Amino acid sequence: PRGTEGTWTPGGAAELRGTVLAASRARAAGIDFGSCPKAQDLPGTVECGTVSVPLDYAHPDGRTIRLTVSRVRATHTDPRNSKRRVPRQGALVFNPGGPGGDGMSFPLIGLLPEWKRVAAAYDLVGYAPRGVGRSAPLSCEDPKSFYKAPSPAPTHPSESYKRQRVAEARAYARGCARRAGGDLRFYNSLDNARDLDVLRAALGEERLTFMGASYGTYFGALYATLFPSHVRRMVFDSAVNPDPAHIWYRNNLDQSTAFEARWRDFREWAARHHDVYGLGRTAGAVQAGYDRALRRLAAKPAGGTVGPGQLQAAFLNSGYDDDSWPGGAKALSAYLKGDDKPLVALAAPYRAGAAEAENGAAVYTAVECNDAPWPADFRVWDRDNTRLARVAPFETWSNVWSNLPCAYWPAPRQRPLDVRTGPGELPPTLVLAAERDAATPYEGALELRRRLAGSRLVTERDAGTHGIAYGPNRCVNAYVDAYLLQGRLPERNAACAPHSEPRPDGPTFQETRARELRRALGGKAERRPAGE
């Protein structure tokens, strides 16, 4: 039924009946796993297949779409004792977040040391959610025009620049409607949760074992609320705040605030390594160098494509993963000393990936815009973000421009589901969070833990990497192992000391793991595993 202010509340009963019917059909059909299409660029150890889901769960006999699925079977081999056969515990389904993230390469992650115990016990299953990749792909504009580079990145934009961005946001929203038509409304988090239940059934699993990272925690939480009796184990890694009042406008304001703190973490780290990078001995001095780079790039883009917008986008990685700090500091240092090649390598648009990037952006926009009401008057966005940019200038306005199409969205918006389970309704679940995570601020993990009765929270103290399961923190990994392999949670919420900061003179954790993955694949090129 339609709600007020251009929103609608999903009918619930009709969609539930549709999910039950679709899951029953999927269980009967199963998934015919075989060789992966060449376009997926996956090695022969990975199997691929598809599962059919309704476009509209209220009408399960209507149009269906196919989601692509990948799998590597459980190895049954204990990495600590090769003579011991490990019993299979089922399938572990993973979503890397986004919205718009593609999990098809996830099963490769079982080749990495931290994952081998889990890979022994579980089939590792990845998939592309609706709209992503080959799963009924969504597009909002011609990929050839997706990368607009070089571009500006004003921290305090002029009125004329704001009018330009409003016009672009309106045009983008119209493009989504023109390309998707009436299907546009069905790209949303509730349907992603329903798709997950159909996938569970198609895999032959009575109950779901699931790990979601970032946005994957949100529709995972929706799944836990809608289908608590279908849950076996769930890991929520870097949790989105599921409070309906925060989905999604408020969450993005909170994110901009958190990115400011994480940007300062990077600058303080670079200052501690002034002897290596020469960027200054204080966070303020590093900021001054960054600002000089912005001005120089505005006057003359590096390599013809790297302007202030590309520099800012590259350094947003400092808020996601401190593994990016050495490369970012090195590129900025070289640029300020007259060598722009490292910066171009770091920040220039990857034109060959334009179609994939455009698809991911389209799904991100559609899901967030469809999920909840957004302010329809730009004056509200302008007021809130002008105020915020005074104390958090680093990401605030770029976050606005990424989400502004939601102000002019042509499809009806849903009212977010109230994520909540009572005592005994849901098996115990595990929530993971880094205390200084910028992309999903820590308060979101606290909120999710409060809403899912019986859940436990493991916190990596004084750290900010986004996505901490099976990363460099052995303490965190031990808790995840205990839960996934033994069903054991800490008696109360737990905390781990932070992992070591990256060294400017050595390989990062991700670089080391990438080398190990290449070696395991026989030196062949591969995509970076989803969620890494």
Side-chain angles (χ1 to χ4, degrees), residues 33-315:
F33 281 106
S35 298
C36 295
K38 289 183 178 180
Q40 295 290 169
D41 193 27
L42 294 170
T45 52
V46 183
E47 303 172 293
C48 290
T50 63
V51 59
S52 179
V53 300
L55 176 68
D56 178 2
Y57 278 93
H59 299 92
D61 293 320
R63 181 182 163 196
T64 61
I65 57 178
R66 288 191 171 273
L67 309 184
T68 58
V69 185
S70 59
R71 179 182 70 180
V72 167
R73 294 179 183 270
T75 67
H76 299 290
T77 301
D78 186 342
R80 300 177 181 178
N81 181 0
S82 60
K83 296 181 180 180
R84 175 177 175 267
R85 182 172 173 80
V86 177
R88 180 180 178 275
Q89 295 199 39
L92 170 62
V93 179
F94 177 81
N95 179 271
D102 188 341
M104 287 294 288
S105 62
F106 165 71
L108 292 176
I109 214 163
L111 297 170
L112 298 179
E114 291 78 11
W115 283 86
K116 285 189 174 181
R117 294 186 70 202
V118 171
Y122 288 92
D123 298 344
L124 300 182
V125 176
Y127 72 108
R130 61 171 60 201
V132 177
R134 298 164 65 88
S135 298
L138 183 66
S139 175
C140 289
E141 63 178 324
D142 186 343
K144 293 178 181 177
S145 61
F146 177 73
Y147 284 123
K148 301 170 179 65
S151 62
T155 53
H156 303 288
S158 66
E159 293 303 313
S160 62
Y161 185 74
K162 292 174 185 176
R163 287 193 295 271
Q164 174 192 331
R165 296 308 300 252
V166 165
E168 291 174 0
R170 289 182 184 273
Y172 186 84
R174 288 195 300 269
C176 296
R178 182 172 60 254
R179 287 172 173 250
D183 296 350
L184 187 59
R185 67 189 294 178
F186 299 114
Y187 295 91
N188 60 69
S189 294
L190 282 171
D191 282 337
N192 282 337
R194 296 175 183 121
D195 290 346
L196 188 58
D197 200 53
V198 177
L199 175 57
R200 171 199 60 80
L203 291 166
E205 299 291 321
E206 291 296 326
R207 295 190 297 157
L208 175 71
T209 303
F210 175 77
M211 179 184 288
S214 192
Y215 165 72
T217 68
Y218 178 58
F219 79 83
L222 294 178
Y223 184 94
T225 302
L226 291 169
F227 310 107
S229 64
H230 295 184
V231 172
R232 178 177 178 266
R233 293 172 191 163
M234 299 190 90
V235 178
F236 301 95
D237 186 2
S238 304
V240 166
N241 189 331
D243 184 342
H246 282 246
I247 303 295
W248 286 100
Y249 181 73
R250 180 77 243 172
N251 272 342
N252 278 285
L253 293 173
D254 293 344
Q255 185 185 76
S256 295
T257 300
F259 261 100
E260 194 67 30
R262 196 62 180 146
W263 170 235
R264 183 173 183 86
D265 289 347
F266 162 73
R267 291 183 287 122
E268 290 176 345
W269 174 87
R272 287 197 294 274
H273 297 289
H274 172 72
D275 58 327
V276 177
Y277 301 114
L279 291 171
R281 300 185 184 279
T282 66
V286 176
Q287 179 72 55
Y290 177 82
D291 291 341
R292 284 198 306 277
L294 285 175
R295 291 191 295 271
R296 284 173 50 180
L297 290 169
K300 183 182 178 181
T305 59
V306 177
Q310 288 64 50
L311 180 73
Q312 194 259 2
F315 276 89

Side-chain angles (χ1 to χ4, degrees), residues 341-422:
K341 291 183 179 62
L343 182 60
V344 172
L346 176 73
Y350 176 54
R351 301 287 183 184
E356 184 178 354
E358 190 279 327
N359 170 237
V363 176
Y364 167 88
T365 305
V367 170
E368 293 214 354
C369 295
N370 284 330
D371 272 1
W374 291 75
D377 187 342
F378 178 70
R379 288 176 294 184
V380 176
W381 299 66
D382 196 9
R383 178 201 66 205
D384 293 345
N385 288 280
T386 297
R387 182 183 302 134
L388 183 58
R390 295 189 187 112
V391 293
F394 181 64
E395 195 213 15
T396 293
W397 283 105
S398 66
N399 213 352
V400 171
W401 312 135
S402 294
N403 294 285
L404 190 56
C406 295
Y408 313 108
W409 199 240
R413 272 62 94 73
Q414 297 180 351
R415 291 200 175 279
L417 183 71
D418 186 28
V419 168
R420 196 177 300 277
T421 63

